[in-house]
Amino acid sequence: MSKLVGDPIARVDGALKVTGRAKYTAEVPIAGLTYAVMVTSTIGNGKIVSIDQSQARKEPGVIVILTHGNAPRVHIAEPNGQARVLRVLQDDIVYYDRQPVAVVVADTFERATHAASLLRIEYTAQPVATRIEAGTPYAPKAIQGHAADLKRGDADTAFASAAVKLDRTYRTPIYHHNPMEPHASTATWDGDKLTVYNASQGVDGDRRVLASTFGLPVQSVRVISSYIGGGFGCKGTPWSHVVLAAMAAKVTNRPVKLVLTRPQMFSSVGHRPETIQRVALGADRNGKIAAQIHEVTSHTSTFDEFTEPSGRFSVMLYNVPNSRITQRLVRLNTATPTFTRAPGETSGSFAFESAMDELAYQLGIDPLELRLRNYAETDPDSRLPYSSKSLRACYEQGAQRFGWSRRNPRVRSMRDRNLLVGMGVATAVYPSNRSEAGGLVRIFRDGTALVNSAGVDIGTGAYTVFTQVAAETLGFPVERVRIGLGDTAMPIAPNAGGSQLTASVGTAIKLAADDARTRVAALGNVSPDRLTSPEAYAAILRKAGVASVDGTSDAKKPDDSQKKFATLAFGAHFAEVHVDPDLGQVRVARFVGAFASGRILNAQTARNQYMGGIVWGIGNALTEITRTDLRSGRIMTANLAEYLVPTNADVPAIEVVIVPEEDPHINPIGVKGIGEIGIVGAAPAIANAVYHATGVRVRELPITPDKLLT
Ligand code: MOS
């Protein structure tokens, strides 16, 4: 194909969203709807002794109160690393703060909320495990099917004999996803058939979990997620409230809606776990790194296992012959952590790219130059060639836009009036994968087309880019293409996660559009080349007397054992910070991110996506932290007044440089995926700039003023 779009068209769903016509889960109108409110635990470990319902039951409008005493028994999956183990009122044990312990259903939301507040719950509390350092680390058997520990060469020996050594420990705190739209589920049963409207990143995965939980064939479950207000991983797998909504609907025989409150968004729906990371680098005096050691400890819950694979970042990046990565887990009384935008790479990049910066100062080499001296020309682990790699161009173009050459290498040497000025750099990398996906492209005889996939647009622009892919492949203007997404009744799709939705579903839609074009051409007995406009298709359909023609595709997951190329997206972040030396206050003054992610289907939505990642990187670096009371296990920052996501005032003008990259090998549409790479390396670029400004190396995020006023 000569061209595959790239036009920065406005979102095709934009008008629906700004006029309120795009229905989010909590807005889906259903006749006879009832309202469930979840009640959550106030202890972090222990048992429920009693739940006094006497007051709540007397309230008008209350339909049912579910507790472990009367909730239907369901099948709970064993820990499997993919979907999370759910706590859905099956016993009296409390494993974590804010665990669901009851559900109140009433005829209005207000009545359900009020009745829920009247439940009197008594617990016996046990001591809580809240500190990683106090726990006993263990090695997970695998991380989502991959080896947990990774080795090449002999890193410890090479480190011991290196001329220049750096050995540091870094920490990242718990971060919560905090999408604008809280989790929400509306469930309705028709006999043994369950339909759930769910704020979800992946309806097919939800359907499998719901079917297995309720012992139903998958065909009996339909999950719909038409629009969601942000996901970032927390909506990647169904949590307890989804099952509880379905359970309540079953018990009441009424449709039930359950929407989480903002405080409930801080516990039972995942988080990025805390990490403690040792990074050791051994280099020669020219900065050639011979050994890297990255030892990661993160926490998981007491009843399920999720590993934040921070070590994965280091494996992918530099040409270091000897490498040892270990991942350890400590069980704490927390909810189970989960995928959080670039799980692993985000936290790992802070440790590793901070260490690279420290090594650069130790060697007296420019931090950007140190990265270039260790640039990998082939994949350091697999030794495979890259399908494409434009990291050098990202460094060059990013540095140029940013004005890296104006940086005085000495710390505390640059000023703007009374403020200390610092400039920092860090690298971004994220693997490009693809999963099985189907697609449907239907051509109608009025010269319009319909595109369908179960893939969810989580706000990134999937509706728009898939419309563009179909339109271009068919030769239609985008206005002639309608699209429906996010419904298990549509062709199978992976989660909108792991930066792979566009590569997976975009490929399926491209192939389905090719198929539709071929079928229409065959119907009209013409060459497909003749089909260059909707009218050409319509004429054939009308002549043949058919209402529509379907093109389909079933794009299989590429067989990894056949991989001939390493497939990764790369980028480079450049941050300028201004630090008030008296107050310790850090402001990000400028930020430039340069990224190469294969073909960009829509420059506008892509830019938004990269910028969003950088904004969260600012939060990671400077403002965000979930604080737990170490004695009780209670999360103390379960609101947006104390968990500080960056606001507009915290975010400078962010400049995104899209580095052109043609990748002929990666997939039929040449895209690598851009969902996650924007956040990877953003926080360390800021941390490195703070060091350059102040001479204070903060190895524990977030960089709050107290850490700079030393
Ligand atoms: Mo992402 S953490 O794969 O939603």
Side-chain angles (χ1 to χ4, degrees):
M1 149 194 17
S2 53
K3 165 184 188 281
L4 205 103
V5 296
D7 307 336
I9 67 163
R11 288 165 191 263
V12 298
D13 50 338
L16 292 178
K17 285 182 171 175
V18 297
T19 56
R21 281 176 293 157
K23 292 271 176 277
Y24 290 75
T25 295
E27 301 171 326
V28 174
I30 292 184
L33 193 60
T34 63
Y35 300 82
V37 166
M38 205 166 78
V39 179
T40 57
S41 69
T42 52
I43 63 164
N45 186 25
K47 269 192 174 185
I48 301 166
V49 176
S50 64
I51 301 181
D52 178 354
Q53 308 176 15
S54 51
Q55 281 300 108
R57 283 192 177 286
K58 285 186 209 141
E59 289 300 311
V62 172
I63 298 166
V64 75
I65 299 172
L66 290 178
T67 70
H68 65 278
N70 65 342
R73 299 298 102 159
V74 292
H75 176 255
I76 300 298
E78 294 296 310
N80 60 36
Q82 289 300 336
R84 303 284 93 84
V85 175
L86 305 180
R87 308 260 55 118
V88 286
L89 313 180
Q90 301 295 292
D91 56 41
D92 58 356
I93 305 171
V94 176
Y95 297 85
Y96 61 91
D97 176 41
R98 285 168 227 270
Q99 177 183 315
V101 291
V103 172
V104 178
V105 184
D107 60 350
T108 70
F109 170 71
E110 290 75 13
R111 284 171 156 180
T113 302
H114 179 59
S117 74
L118 298 175
L119 291 184
R120 293 286 165 260
I121 306 178
E122 272 186 53
Y123 304 92
T124 48
Q126 308 280 317
V128 286
T130 50
R131 295 175 59 243
I132 290 188
E133 304 91 310
T136 312
Y138 74 96
K141 285 201 190 71
I143 305 175
Q144 292 126 40
H146 299 281
D149 291 357
L150 301 166
K151 247 184 159 177
R152 58 176 181 254
D154 180 351
D156 292 277
T157 305
F159 178 70
S161 59
V164 180
K165 294 191 183 71
L166 180 100
D167 194 343
R168 298 280 192 256
T169 298
Y170 303 87
R171 296 186 72 132
T172 60
I174 293 177
Y175 294 120
H176 275 86
H177 306 78
N178 278 306
M180 259 197 283
E181 177 209 26
H183 289 257
S185 306
T186 296
T188 169
W189 292 82
D190 178 8
D192 276 342
K193 298 232 184 286
L194 170 64
T195 301
V196 179
Y197 296 86
N198 194 29
S200 167
Q201 293 172 238
V203 290
D204 285 316
D206 291 356
R207 176 199 221 184
R208 282 192 296 274
V209 171
L210 284 164
S212 110
T213 306
F214 288 99
L216 299 167
V218 274
Q219 296 77 13
S220 299
V221 180
R222 182 174 176 193
V223 180
I224 300 166
S225 182
S226 302
Y227 298 96
I228 77 170
F232 320 125
C234 59
K235 291 172 184 161
T237 58
W239 296 95
S240 305
H241 67 276
V242 186
V243 170
L244 291 172
M247 200 185 260
K250 184 92 191 161
V251 169
T252 58
N253 201 23
R254 308 266 294 267
V256 169
K257 173 158 92 179
L258 200 170
V259 182
L260 297 198
T261 64
R262 185 57 61 178
Q264 288 172 347
M265 294 293 289
F266 282 81
S267 188
S268 51
V269 288
H271 54 269
R272 192 193 300 281
E274 190 177 351
T275 70
I276 302 178
Q277 305 179 52
R278 175 190 174 216
V279 178
L281 300 173
D284 68 17
R285 295 196 188 284
N286 294 320
K288 182 76 199 75
I289 302 171
Q292 59 179 29
I293 297 168
H294 193 167
E295 297 173 348
V296 183
T297 309
S298 61
H299 76 259
T300 187
S301 65
T302 55
F303 58 92
D304 195 0
E305 191 169 283
F306 175 82
T307 309
E308 168 88 359
S310 313
R312 201 160 62 178
F313 174 86
S314 336
V315 189
M316 295 186 283
L317 206 45
Y318 299 109
N319 181 26
V320 178
N322 302 289
S323 170
R324 178 170 66 76
I325 311 296
T326 61
Q327 294 274 163
R328 296 293 175 265
L329 287 173
V330 169
R331 293 200 182 275
L332 299 180
N333 291 107
T334 62
T336 309
T338 197
F339 312 109
T340 309
R341 202 172 196 170
E345 290 85 0
T346 300
S347 49
S349 69
F350 169 65
F352 200 89
E353 288 292 285
S354 292
M356 286 295 284
D357 201 62
E358 295 205 52
L359 183 66
Y361 284 100
Q362 201 170 321
L363 290 159
I365 296 175
D366 176 90
L368 187 50
E369 174 60 24
L370 178 66
R371 286 165 172 84
L372 288 167
R373 288 189 192 176
N374 292 283
Y375 195 86
E377 300 292 351
T378 56
D379 183 60
D381 232 30
S382 65
R383 287 287 151 209
L384 291 172
Y386 294 105
S387 60
S388 61
K389 178 175 183 178
S390 312
L391 176 56
R392 200 172 263 118
C394 293
Y395 287 139
E396 282 166 10
Q397 293 179 31
Q400 164 117 40
R401 292 300 301 182
F402 182 77
W404 183 254
S405 60
R406 295 201 305 273
R407 177 180 180 269
N408 182 329
R410 275 190 313 113
V411 297
R412 280 185 94 94
S413 62
M414 298 179 75
R415 281 183 180 258
D416 180 354
R417 286 157 295 170
N418 66 325
L419 301 177
L420 300 169
V421 172
M423 296 183 176
V425 64
T427 312
V429 61
Y430 197 82
S432 305
N433 293 314
R434 179 150 73 91
S435 288
E436 182 189 356
L440 169 72
V441 174
R442 178 171 294 160
I443 315 282
F444 296 95
R445 72 168 151 193
D446 65 355
T448 62
L450 172 72
V451 174
N452 272 174
S453 159
V456 176
D457 185 334
I458 61 173
T460 50
Y463 277 112
T464 309
V465 296
F466 296 156
T467 299
Q468 290 178 279
V469 167
E472 188 189 287
T473 308
L474 295 171
F476 277 38
V478 290
E479 300 75 29
R480 293 289 190 95
V481 178
R482 277 174 299 132
I483 181 165
L485 296 175
D487 185 337
T488 52
M490 297 173 184
I492 189 170
N495 268 6
S499 298
Q500 57 171 328
L501 190 79
T502 304
S504 307
V505 174
T507 294
I509 287 169
K510 160 81 172 74
L511 299 178
D514 281 337
D515 185 45
R517 186 186 174 95
T518 306
R519 285 174 191 276
V520 172
L523 187 67
N525 205 14
V526 298
S527 155
D529 302 343
R530 300 266 305 278
L531 299 178
T532 52
S533 71
E535 289 68 32
Y537 289 79
I540 291 174
L541 266 64
R542 274 199 303 271
K543 194 167 165 205
V546 297
S548 65
V549 171
D550 282 1
T552 60
S553 73
D554 184 4
K556 292 277 177 237
K557 183 180 168 68
D559 180 353
D560 282 348
S561 65
Q562 304 288 310
K563 257 192 157 181
K564 294 195 186 71
F565 299 99
T567 54
L568 301 109
F570 292 93
H573 294 282
F574 296 85
E576 178 177 316
V577 300
H578 292 182
V579 184
D580 187 316
D582 302 316
L583 303 176
Q585 187 185 52
V586 179
R587 289 267 177 224
V588 179
R590 294 191 300 128
F591 203 109
V592 175
F595 304 95
S597 315
R599 192 175 271 150
I600 296 302
L601 296 178
N602 182 319
Q604 180 168 306
T605 53
R607 199 174 293 277
N608 293 163
Q609 194 59 19
Y610 292 130
M611 284 172 77
I614 292 166
V615 169
W616 202 352
I618 293 171
N620 285 173
L622 300 178
T623 60
E624 293 181 50
I625 175 170
T626 297
R627 293 188 191 277
T628 306
D629 178 65
L630 297 178
R631 299 154 303 178
S632 66
R634 186 84 171 152
I635 292 175
M636 305 308 287
T637 47
N639 57 72
L640 293 177
E642 290 165 287
Y643 185 96
L644 304 175
V645 298
T647 65
N648 283 349
D650 300 306
V651 178
I654 295 172
E655 193 171 344
V656 169
V657 179
I658 295 178
V659 174
E661 184 176 64
E662 284 286 320
D663 191 322
H665 305 297
I666 194 151
N667 53 48
I669 56 173
V671 307
K672 286 185 171 176
I674 57 177
E676 288 164 290
I677 190 167
I679 194 174
V680 181
I686 295 165
N688 294 341
V690 168
Y691 176 77
H692 179 237
T694 63
V696 180
R697 178 65 64 178
V698 179
R699 300 189 182 89
E700 184 172 343
L701 293 180
I703 303 170
T704 43
D706 53 300
K707 294 174 185 167
L708 296 175
L709 297 173
T710 49

